[in-house]
Amino acid sequence: MDESANKGLESKVSDAETPLQRSLRILGKKYRAAAIEESVIKGLGVPKLNGSGAKIRYSGIISRMVVMGYNTSSPREDVEEALRQYFASCGIKLIHVSVFESVFEHYQKTFLCRHGLIYVNEECEAEALKLQGSDMGGGCILDITAYPFADNHLDHVFAPTKDSDEYLQRGLKVTGFDTSRASKDDIMKMVSKVFPGSGCFVHNGGCALVYLHGQDAVENALKLSGGSVGGFKIAVDKVLPIKKVSVGTYPNAWSAFAEGKPKTIMTAD
């Protein structure tokens, strides 16, 4: 059927409607459009913007970059915090920063890998890359390059560090869930299906604190940011800093120690 025939058919349908039916049909369309818009805005966790030229500035999609040039002689948690603070001073929020450790058993020492990973909201990637060659203090000149999730040319660099991260627990702040549409228990079940073996605590309003082990699990969560989980559009808002916890204060510490793992477990605040 050609376009003119379609228009003719639509015209006949409209003519057959009573004024009341036509008003209800138009009102229904507006209601559905408003409901869809409200649902999207709720899922994104951002304020509604008015105006034809307004754009939502936070998509929830995360970009990954490789960073070098930091002080490799400082403790891991200190370096990660220094990177967070430096980027924040430049107006850029790091969703996650991970500096890896390499263990040299012959010397009984742990050294920091020269390559670290930083993660920012997609909208902040260009600004973060502009800090290439900047001095974060102490003579540390940053080398920053884009490293999309689909890129794996540095896997051989990070592979030796994954064993030391296997028992590293990170806490992720995930927003976008709505406790008015699903119970806390249902949200926790969704999270456990998406991230098997994870721990989860859901706050009022739908913000979830998800606990994951290992860099691979954290990266999988970061990849899902901006996507849909159980009908909710989620965003990983923050990966909490790590801290050291003595054996016995962390639930899985004794089992890790019994298997010959390090006596100190790294976990999130």
Side-chain angles (χ1 to χ4, degrees):
M1 186 179 293
D2 59 23
E3 185 176 353
S4 60
N6 278 329
K7 288 183 178 179
L9 181 59
E10 290 174 1
S11 177
K12 289 180 180 178
V13 172
S14 298
D15 292 341
E17 289 180 333
T18 66
L20 177 60
Q21 288 174 329
R22 184 171 182 275
S23 298
L24 290 174
R25 178 171 58 82
I26 294 173
L27 182 62
K29 283 185 177 181
K30 290 182 177 179
Y31 176 81
R32 287 194 296 272
I36 290 171
E37 182 180 20
E38 182 182 1
S39 176
V40 171
I41 296 299
K42 274 186 177 181
L44 287 171
V46 296
K48 182 177 178 179
L49 301 177
N50 297 318
S52 58
K55 293 182 179 179
I56 294 173
R57 293 182 294 174
Y58 178 45
S59 67
I61 299 173
I62 292 174
S63 296
R64 181 179 71 170
M65 287 167 278
V66 174
V67 61
M68 300 173 62
Y70 48 79
N71 183 2
T72 57
S73 62
S74 296
R76 174 183 191 167
E77 54 270 31
D78 291 349
V79 173
E80 292 185 353
E81 183 58 27
L83 286 168
R84 286 190 196 92
Q85 292 183 6
Y86 177 71
F87 277 86
S89 70
C90 300
I92 300 170
K93 175 187 174 182
L94 294 185
I95 301 298
H96 179 38
V97 52
S98 187
V99 176
F100 302 94
E101 293 179 335
S102 296
V103 180
F104 293 85
E105 294 183 359
H106 178 72
Y107 297 101
Q108 294 294 305
K109 288 184 177 181
T110 299
F111 298 91
L112 293 187
C113 179
R114 293 191 307 116
H115 298 76
L117 293 172
I118 57 175
Y119 304 79
V120 299
N121 290 326
E122 185 181 48
E123 296 84 354
C124 300
E125 180 178 8
E127 290 301 313
L129 290 173
K130 289 179 182 178
L131 295 180
Q132 161 68 17
S134 62
D135 187 346
M136 66 176 291
C140 295
I141 308 300
L142 294 181
D143 183 2
I144 307 169
T145 55
Y147 190 51
F149 288 111
D151 193 346
N152 60 4
H153 78 276
L154 289 176
D155 274 7
H156 67 287
V157 173
F158 297 118
T161 68
K162 288 191 175 181
D163 286 343
S164 63
D165 264 25
E166 184 181 357
Y167 286 88
L168 172 65
Q169 176 178 272
R170 294 270 194 179
L172 288 73
K173 181 183 176 184
V174 183
T175 60
F177 296 107
D178 188 348
T179 49
S180 69
R181 293 167 50 198
S183 68
K184 291 183 179 181
D185 288 341
D186 288 339
I187 292 173
M188 290 174 65
K189 289 176 183 178
M190 290 179 201
V191 172
S192 65
K193 288 180 180 178
V194 177
F195 309 111
S198 64
C200 178
F201 179 80
V202 181
H203 297 271
N204 291 331
C207 172
L209 189 60
V210 181
Y211 292 98
L212 300 172
H213 291 83
Q215 175 65 15
D216 287 344
V218 173
E219 280 224 337
N220 286 336
L222 294 170
K223 290 176 187 177
L224 284 176
S225 186
S228 178
V229 172
F232 298 102
K233 186 164 185 178
I234 67 166
V236 178
D237 185 64
K238 182 179 182 181
V239 179
L240 301 181
I242 56 176
K243 68 177 182 179
K244 291 186 177 181
V245 177
S246 301
V247 169
T249 62
Y250 176 65
N252 297 324
W254 282 113
S255 59
F257 178 64
E259 296 174 5
K261 300 300 179 183
K263 295 182 180 180
T264 302
I265 304 297
M266 305 291 283
T267 186
D269 284 321

